[in-house]
């Protein structure tokens, strides 16, 4: 079984900087963390991996992200917690992407992960039998957080499902079972909690409280330090420039800014009528 978990680096605090030209968040990687919803999705994938390992079944968990080079550290943390491998999509051509362009880039990464898996699996067989290695395969399960705390769009999971023509269940609160090529979950709807079953491969987006992320072990940290994290450029991913980054984003942010705050104040003196007159004057100056 192959599970791909899509994760995003988000600011670790509400103190963010906005690019005055592109109107996007400045991501310098200095104070970034894994989106909490995505961290929960990774824990769900690792729990599945543990369950299958207990029964002697194999399960590969790949962590995928699109971001600046510093995002590699967050992907290594995923490996330290138990992920099998990681892939980072990093290229200026991906910068400024909206959710549609981001989903497209992630789909390129998912296909690359499938291609690498098939090539590794077929390498010995192809060399022994003289056959060509098969093409890329799609994962059995794609897991995403319900939304990112810096955007709150909740669109990436459904858009990936659309790109791969897979069933999608959003806001999953409990993974009940994975068996006989189907996954059963409980997810939240406007009418309450619903129990649904969909065939694999599928895309699930999970709620933050579905699982408590585990801490990395010392052995995991040591293993992650030496583990390779593949970095894929737009060219190597064979991404269509017309569907990538700002150019490939049909939605554009007209204006986005962090409100300026000031702790200055004016003490109003005089009689009540004089203070009232001054308040009116201040309001008029502010255009209120």
């Amino acid at each position: 079984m192959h599970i791909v978990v899509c994760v995003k680096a988000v600011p670790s605090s509400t103190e963010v900087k906005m690019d005055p030209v592109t109107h996007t968040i400045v991501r310098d990687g200095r104070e970034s963390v894994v989106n909490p919803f995505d961290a929960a999705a990774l824990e769900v994938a690792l729990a599945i991996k543990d369950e299958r390992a207990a029964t002697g079944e194999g399960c590969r968990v790949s962590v995928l992200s699109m971001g600046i080079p510093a995002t590699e550290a967050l992907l290594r943390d995923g490996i330290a917690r138990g992920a099998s491998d990681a892939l980072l999509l990093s290229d200026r051509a991906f910068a400024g992407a909206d959710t549609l362009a981001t989903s497209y880039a992630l789909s390129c990464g998912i296909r690359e992960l499938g291609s690498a898996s098939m090539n590794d699996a077929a390498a010995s067989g192809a060399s022994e039998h003289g056959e060509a290695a098969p093409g890329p395969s799609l994962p059995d399960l794609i897991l995403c957080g319900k939304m990112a705390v810096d955007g709150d769009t909740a669109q990436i999971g459904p858009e990936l499902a659309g790109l791969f023509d897979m069933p999608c269940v959003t806001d999953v609160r409990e993974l009940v079972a994975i068996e006989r090529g189907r996954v059963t979950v409980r997810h939240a709807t406007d009418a309450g909690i619903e129990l649904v079953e969909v065939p694999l491969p599928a895309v699930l987006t999970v709620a933050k409280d579905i699982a408590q992320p585990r801490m990395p072990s010392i052995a995991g940290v040591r293993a992650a330090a030496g583990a390779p994290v593949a970095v894929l450029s737009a060219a190597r991913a064979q991404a269509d420039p017309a569907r990538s980054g700002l150019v490939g984003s049909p939605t554009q942010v007209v204006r986005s800014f962090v409100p300026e705050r000031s702790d200055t104040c004016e003490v109003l003196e005089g009689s009540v009528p004089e203070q009232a007159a001054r308040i009116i004057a201040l309001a008029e100056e502010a255009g209120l």
Side-chain angles (χ1 to χ4, degrees):
M1 185 176 196
H2 185 200
I3 305 173
V4 173
V5 183
C6 299
V7 303
K8 182 182 182 183
V10 298
S12 60
S13 71
T14 57
E15 299 296 325
V16 298
K17 297 179 181 179
M18 305 301 299
D19 188 309
V21 177
T22 62
H23 305 296
T24 57
I25 296 176
V26 175
R27 304 183 187 276
D28 53 19
R30 289 178 295 181
E31 296 182 357
S32 294
V33 297
V34 172
N35 176 47
F37 289 85
D38 300 340
L42 176 58
E43 178 57 34
V44 171
L46 295 178
I48 296 172
K49 181 180 179 182
D50 291 344
E51 291 175 1
R52 293 194 166 248
T55 60
E57 299 179 61
C59 181
R60 174 189 174 201
V61 175
S62 301
V63 188
L64 172 66
S65 185
M66 183 185 81
I68 62 176
T71 308
E72 180 181 330
L74 301 181
L75 294 179
R76 285 192 187 280
D77 180 73
I79 295 176
R81 294 172 192 268
S84 309
D85 53 73
L87 174 65
L88 173 62
L89 295 159
S90 188
D91 196 310
R92 289 297 302 174
F94 293 134
D98 69 356
T99 58
L100 189 64
T102 297
S103 298
Y104 169 70
L106 291 173
S107 73
C108 294
I110 290 170
R111 293 184 187 281
E112 176 66 19
L113 286 168
S115 178
S117 176
M118 293 301 293
N119 289 339
D120 291 343
S124 59
S127 60
E128 292 176 3
H129 303 291
E131 299 173 355
S137 64
L138 295 180
D140 301 286
L141 192 62
I142 299 175
L143 294 177
C144 306
K146 171 188 171 183
M147 62 185 187
V149 295
D150 64 345
D152 295 0
T153 60
Q155 295 173 353
I156 296 297
E159 287 177 353
L160 281 173
L163 287 169
F164 289 125
D165 195 24
M166 293 180 181
C168 179
V169 185
T170 59
D171 202 1
V172 173
R173 303 301 176 90
E174 180 188 358
L175 195 152
V176 179
I178 299 181
E179 54 188 3
R180 298 187 299 276
R182 306 183 74 83
V183 57
T184 305
V185 300
R186 287 187 173 90
H187 76 123
T189 70
D190 292 341
I193 302 298
E194 181 182 32
L195 179 68
V196 297
E197 181 184 80
V198 295
L200 297 175
V203 179
L204 305 180
T205 75
V206 305
K208 187 169 61 175
D209 58 356
I210 189 174
Q212 180 64 40
R214 68 189 65 186
M215 295 298 293
S217 65
I218 295 177
V221 172
R222 295 182 63 181
V229 174
V231 180
L232 200 64
S233 66
R236 285 188 56 201
Q238 299 182 354
D240 182 354
R243 300 177 66 183
S244 305
L246 278 174
V247 176
S249 300
T251 56
Q252 300 289 330
V253 178
V254 176
R255 182 169 182 256
S256 183
F257 63 94
V258 177
E260 295 182 3
R261 293 179 174 85
S262 174
D263 56 3
T264 59
C265 64
E266 179 179 335
V267 178
L268 302 181
E269 299 178 348
S271 64
V272 173
E274 290 173 339
Q275 292 176 356
R278 180 55 181 157
I279 291 176
I280 293 174
L282 289 173
E284 291 176 345
E285 291 174 7
L288 302 177

